[in-house]
Amino acid sequence: MSTVGDEKLRISDLHAFYGESHILHGIDMTVMQGELVTLLGRNGAGRSTTLRSIMNMVGKRTGSININGRETIDMPAHKIAHLGMGFCPEERAIFSSLNVEENLMLPPAVRSDGMSVEEIYEMFPNLYERRMSQGTRLSGGEQQMLALARILRTGANILLLDEITEGLAPVIVKTLGEVLLKLKERGLTILLVEQNFRFAAPIADRHYVMEHGHIVEEVHAHELEAKAEMLNTYLGV
Amino acid sequence: MATFLGINLFGLFGQLLVGLINGSFYALLSLGLAIIFGLLKIINFAQGAMYMLGAFFAWMALHYMGINYWAALIVVPLAVGFIGVMMERYLLRPIANEDHLYSLLLTFGIALILQGAFTHMFGSSGMSYAIPEELKGGNRLPFMYLPNYRAWIIVASLIVCAGTWYMIEKTKLGAYLRAGTENPSMMQAFGINVPLIVTLTFGFGVGLAGFAGVMAAPVYSVSPDMGSNMLIVVFAIVVIGGMGSIGGAILTGLGMGVVEGLTKYFYPEASTTVIFAVMVIVLLTKPAGLFGKEA
């Protein structure tokens, strides 16, 4: 069921602040059911802050964030996951006080149809082999897989993934690309912050380009070639 | 008299027993401190006052309401824990984002107020609380006489400590706690109500002190300064064990009780200072404490 259907996420006029710094200046975007959308842009453009704002992990936010038709701008942080959100932060946030399996089992289920532990170990065999190791003893790639696996187990069907390929070897990046395609086939909705445009381009349906806390461009997959030059200017690749 | 290599075994085992009893209380109190420090990063100076409250509540429950020791053992820790919940929710949470010095001073102030209030109401000479009927008497062992109530203190506090350790280290709830200590905002993003866990943890840590207070009422005099006397030693123990280590707090508490007991036998003059001497040595050689992780 890879059909693109209802609106899963709609953000209008989102402003976000960390203390005195005003980071996001009126973001508008939508993500439809089953879509894989990327946020492109240079470091500091506000892409990670956009994801963290959706999870209510910033100092202050104003505007509107609609998840599955529910307004969440005034919702406490711990309630947002239960709308079916899964967040994979840039720093991966694997817990060193827990082993791999405890890390995997940690987040409570937010929906009933999450992947079973068997399915997860099938998708990430390395995690099974190292399930008794301390979480932070894993390699960077394994930690990334663990960070992704633990939100798949919860049944989250809207995934916010922040720089999941950062610093990883090409072979692992390739594996992650295959995993994302599988998740897309399952009908999951994915909002991906990505620096590695070559990784994102072939798998994404749409791209938003951010600069200085604004969305400056929206590019559909079929427009990539036509808008290549403009993208180069914004991303400096 | 039983002697071995010139050592009076009756005296030695007697002091060892006293050491284990004190160690049991040290373990319960430092465990509560370690749990609270681990999750909230608050050094709870009111922990001694909560222990004192536990003893006074047990005494008041018996004399004003006829609630016996066994019921008090359940009700009093809950009552003290509830006071802890209120304290966290309405006093500590508003200053949670300030420097930790503020919460330290606040808990210190609460301890002074409680101690002052109970001195005003009950005087400072202390009151006695009878050992429950079921635990009177004792057994003559080969080298010592073991009063039942003292044996009960050691067994009960070991069970409570071991149960708490198991809950934190081996259960899902404990995993939430450990992970919440490490990265609270990520736990919120997973959908876990971290502020609620923080409140309940504080209540539980304080409730442990209340439990220790009920246990202590029949063996120590119930007096307003019983907590502050205990707290200084317990802080030294927490430093020796390593801040925030659950198992470390329990083992160090018991171990230091025994060290203190042995010192009382071999060199009584040093018995009140030996723990602080150990603390100095540990700080010089292993600043994070015996069980603490090096930063």
Side-chain angles (χ1 to χ4, degrees):
Chain A
M1 47 171 250
S2 63
T3 48
V4 173
D6 304 338
E7 211 173 65
K8 293 300 260 185
L9 182 65
R10 181 163 45 79
I11 297 176
S12 353
D13 195 30
L14 174 66
H15 292 255
F17 307 81
Y18 281 116
E20 296 292 300
S21 357
H22 190 169
I23 311 287
L24 299 183
H25 301 265
I27 302 283
D28 294 288
M29 61 187 284
T30 49
V31 183
M32 308 299 278
Q33 152 73 37
E35 257 194 318
L36 196 160
V37 174
T38 71
L39 291 178
L40 301 173
R42 293 195 177 91
N43 279 335
R47 300 164 305 150
S48 294
T49 305
T50 304
L51 297 194
R52 298 179 72 84
S53 304
I54 297 171
M55 298 309 294
N56 196 358
M57 293 169 84
V58 292
K60 187 183 148 211
R61 47 182 207 163
T62 64
S64 162
I65 300 174
N66 221 290
I67 301 172
N68 275 328
R70 295 267 312 266
E71 178 57 58
T72 64
I73 201 76
D74 294 317
M75 202 178 257
H78 65 89
K79 293 215 168 133
I80 290 172
H82 294 281
L83 300 172
M85 305 294 286
F87 176 50
C88 190
E90 187 175 7
E91 71 281 5
R92 293 168 195 147
I94 300 302
F95 293 94
S96 65
S97 52
L98 309 178
N99 70 24
V100 170
E101 192 149 285
E102 284 177 309
N103 264 290
L104 180 60
M105 304 306 283
L106 182 72
V110 295
R111 291 178 67 257
S112 56
D113 57 350
M115 285 171 73
S116 68
V117 178
E118 292 74 32
E119 279 179 283
I120 282 171
Y121 282 146
E122 202 178 307
M123 193 178 254
F124 306 105
N126 289 21
L127 295 185
Y128 178 74
E129 278 160 38
R130 307 210 53 188
R131 64 191 181 283
M132 291 304 155
S133 311
Q134 188 198 336
T136 43
R137 290 269 164 85
L138 297 181
S139 72
E142 287 167 331
Q143 288 195 30
Q144 189 58 67
M145 289 176 188
L146 179 55
L148 193 55
R150 68 180 173 191
I151 55 174
L152 296 178
R153 198 194 58 81
T154 66
N157 58 2
I158 308 173
L159 307 185
L160 308 181
L161 311 179
D162 197 351
E163 298 273 16
I164 59 171
T165 63
E166 196 182 22
L168 300 182
V171 54
I172 297 166
V173 173
K174 189 165 165 281
T175 313
L176 284 172
E178 287 160 11
V179 167
L180 288 194
L181 283 176
K182 273 187 211 165
L183 299 178
K184 207 163 169 288
E185 270 167 40
R186 284 173 161 258
L188 269 66
T189 305
I190 300 171
L191 181 57
L192 181 71
V193 165
E194 192 50 67
Q195 191 84 288
N196 184 346
F197 183 62
R198 266 184 294 264
F199 171 77
I203 55 174
D205 299 304
R206 254 180 331 124
H207 309 271
Y208 285 106
V209 182
M210 290 191 72
E211 197 168 68
H212 305 306
H214 297 271
I215 288 187
V216 289
E217 197 72 43
E218 181 185 348
V219 183
H220 286 264
H222 62 83
E223 301 173 312
L224 274 181
E225 227 161 293
K227 294 196 177 173
E229 196 157 323
M230 177 271 297
L231 278 174
N232 278 343
T233 325
Y234 278 124
L235 306 177
V237 285
Chain B
M1 187 178 279
T3 58
F4 179 73
L5 298 176
I7 294 171
N8 172 353
L9 290 178
F10 265 106
L12 179 62
F13 279 90
Q15 288 305 341
L16 253 182
L17 178 65
V18 171
L20 274 177
I21 306 272
N22 287 336
S24 301
F25 290 116
Y26 295 159
L28 282 172
L29 288 173
S30 58
L31 176 61
L33 278 180
I35 292 171
I36 289 170
F37 181 78
L39 189 60
L40 289 81
K41 300 286 173 274
I42 286 175
I43 299 175
N44 182 22
F45 264 84
Q47 194 75 350
M50 295 296 151
Y51 163 76
M52 180 269 289
L53 269 189
F56 265 99
F57 280 1
W59 187 90
M60 287 153 75
L62 182 67
H63 291 87
Y64 301 157
M65 290 180 267
I67 294 175
N68 72 14
Y69 174 82
W70 301 104
L73 214 47
I74 308 285
V75 176
V76 169
L78 289 177
V80 174
F82 179 74
I83 291 176
V85 164
M86 291 294 126
M87 200 172 131
E88 195 283 330
R89 183 68 189 79
Y90 295 106
L91 296 174
L92 290 167
R93 189 172 304 173
I95 57 167
N97 294 325
E98 305 292 335
D99 192 281
H100 292 314
L101 197 58
Y102 287 83
S103 57
L104 185 149
L105 286 173
L106 180 83
T107 57
F108 188 50
I110 291 170
L112 291 177
I113 290 170
L114 286 173
Q115 193 176 334
F118 276 82
T119 308
H120 177 70
M121 290 187 288
F122 294 95
S124 54
S125 58
M127 279 137 11
S128 65
Y129 184 99
I131 291 175
E133 209 54 48
E134 297 83 349
L135 291 175
K136 282 190 173 146
N139 290 299
R140 187 159 293 282
L141 302 180
F143 294 113
M144 64 189 290
Y145 176 74
L146 178 63
N148 287 339
Y149 189 77
R150 300 194 169 228
W152 158 249
I153 289 177
I154 297 171
V155 172
S157 53
L158 278 182
I159 291 172
V160 169
C161 285
T164 305
W165 177 86
Y166 182 85
M167 190 185 79
I168 291 173
E169 300 291 343
K170 300 288 166 196
T171 66
K172 186 78 186 240
L173 183 67
Y176 284 172
L177 238 147
R178 280 176 287 149
T181 303
E182 222 180 302
N183 191 342
S185 72
M186 196 59 214
M187 290 300 282
Q188 298 254 79
F190 284 154
I192 290 161
N193 190 343
V194 175
L196 180 69
I197 292 191
V198 164
T199 303
L200 293 179
T201 302
F202 191 82
F204 181 80
V206 160
L208 276 178
F211 176 80
V214 183
M215 297 285 289
V219 279
Y220 301 139
S221 153
V222 178
S223 73
D225 60 2
M226 64 190 285
S228 51
N229 293 342
M230 194 74 152
L231 194 66
I232 298 167
V233 177
V234 171
F235 270 127
I237 285 166
V238 170
V239 171
I240 294 169
M243 268 304 204
S245 160
I246 303 300
I250 298 170
L251 292 176
T252 314
L254 278 173
M256 285 302 115
V258 170
V259 166
E260 204 181 42
L262 290 178
T263 312
K264 249 180 220 154
Y265 179 79
F266 288 108
Y267 191 65
E269 293 84 347
S271 65
T272 49
T273 40
V274 64
I275 289 177
F276 300 99
V278 173
M279 180 180 86
V280 170
I281 294 166
V282 167
L283 281 179
L284 287 175
T285 53
K286 212 166 175 300
L290 294 178
F291 300 89
K293 291 193 187 89
E294 302 284 343

